[in-house]
Amino acid sequence: MTRIDAKFAALKAEGKKAFVAYVMAGDPDYETSLELIRGLPGAGVDIIEMGLPFTDPMADGETIQLAGQRALEAGMTLKRTLQMARAFREADDTTPIVLMGYYNPIYNHGVDTFLADAKAAGIDGLIVVDLPPEEDEELCIPAQAAGLNFIRLATPTTDDKRLPKVLQNTSGFVYYVSITGITGAAAAEAGDVGPEVARIKAQTDLPVIVGFGIRTPEAAESIASIADGAVVGSAIVGALADGKPVTDVLSFVKTLSDGTHRA
């Protein structure tokens, strides 16, 4: 059982939904980013999604693209991202960390070396948005063998024929992308998302978490009411980009987690 599995089991026992927060590792610099990540559990975050900066983030909207650029310009690398996870683990051995990014930096690091390093750093799961199920032998299956969850994205365009393939080697949870497009592009609507979540849950026992387009406590509560939890990324990254101090960003995160946990 991974930390992710244990977290969902504990939340289920409490009758609570999961709040997942996405932050870009190294944005705007290593020290500020680590301070923010260390503060997330205290702000009610159940699972931390740590973005791995990359030069060509095709699934991300402007807010997260700019965050990745700031992180890269500040010297963030895959090695330093794993170093940040290790630093977080010095004081927190229970909050799950999911590393979200693209395959190129992992490939360049070497898959076997990366998996060993990620496991040692305290990473619990991976979301690699540009590796389709047809490429599971590349990373997904080795990751599961190394004890890391491999979390797959399902989208509004994932039809009933495609869905079993998407779910085939997925573990930890299913990440349902609530809108067609990039991060931060539009608002998620529970009325649209509910039937899709039900469709996915009919084919898997895994929790289904909904992300993209959730920016307010009210939206987080609404989405979490029809899913197993909610992900907020662009709104948190944007608050940091606006120059708000980490304490203020964490206060905002707390309102989002409170909204999710009310569901």
Side-chain angles (χ1 to χ4, degrees):
M1 179 180 278
T2 65
R3 290 186 186 91
I4 295 170
D5 299 328
K7 174 59 70 174
F8 278 111
L11 288 168
K12 187 175 182 178
E14 296 174 33
K16 290 173 68 176
K17 302 300 179 73
F19 179 64
V20 183
Y22 172 98
V23 293
M24 178 63 73
D27 174 39
D29 55 66
Y30 183 93
E31 291 75 18
T32 304
S33 183
L34 180 57
E35 180 187 355
L36 176 61
I37 288 169
R38 282 176 165 161
L40 292 176
V45 173
D46 298 302
I47 298 172
I48 297 169
E49 236 181 73
M50 187 184 291
L52 176 61
F54 182 51
T55 53
D56 188 21
M58 61 186 180
D60 295 312
E62 184 179 15
T63 298
I64 291 177
Q65 284 189 23
L66 291 172
Q69 288 178 18
R70 289 190 296 270
L72 291 168
E73 288 166 4
M76 205 60 180
T77 61
L78 173 55
K79 287 183 178 179
R80 293 198 81 199
T81 300
L82 296 179
Q83 177 186 326
M84 184 175 289
R86 283 194 297 273
F88 174 85
R89 286 280 173 241
E90 291 170 4
D92 187 318
D93 195 43
T94 57
T95 304
I97 300 175
V98 174
L99 192 64
M100 182 172 186
Y102 299 83
Y103 186 47
N104 184 275
I106 296 169
Y107 178 80
N108 286 335
H109 195 79
V111 168
D112 292 343
T113 303
F114 165 76
L115 292 174
D117 291 349
K119 185 72 175 173
I123 300 295
D124 303 291
L126 304 174
I127 299 175
V128 183
V129 299
D130 55 348
L131 273 184
E134 287 75 15
E135 305 292 337
D136 275 356
E137 297 289 342
E138 286 281 332
L139 182 63
C140 172
I141 291 171
Q144 311 246 41
L148 296 168
N149 289 128
F150 199 88
I151 295 141
R152 191 81 69 191
L153 303 179
T155 74
T157 59
T158 306
D159 61 20
D160 288 337
K161 184 178 179 181
R162 180 67 174 168
L163 186 57
K165 187 74 174 175
V166 169
L167 297 173
Q168 184 174 310
N169 291 314
T170 300
S171 65
F173 60 92
V174 179
Y175 187 136
Y176 180 69
V177 176
S178 65
I179 58 173
T180 303
I182 53 176
T183 57
E189 298 292 343
D192 298 329
V193 172
E196 293 298 299
V197 170
R199 183 169 67 92
I200 296 167
K201 291 180 76 67
Q203 295 197 38
T204 181
D205 293 330
L206 291 171
V208 179
I209 306 300
V210 176
F212 286 48
I214 304 170
R215 308 187 67 85
T216 66
E218 295 75 21
E221 180 178 3
S222 176
I223 291 296
S225 70
I226 50 87
D228 296 302
V231 185
V232 178
S234 294
I236 298 170
V237 173
L240 193 63
D242 288 342
K244 291 183 170 61
V246 169
T247 51
D248 287 3
V249 177
L250 290 171
S251 295
F252 172 57
V253 172
K254 181 68 164 61
T255 68
L256 298 165
S257 67
D258 286 348
T260 302
H261 293 147
R262 281 195 297 269

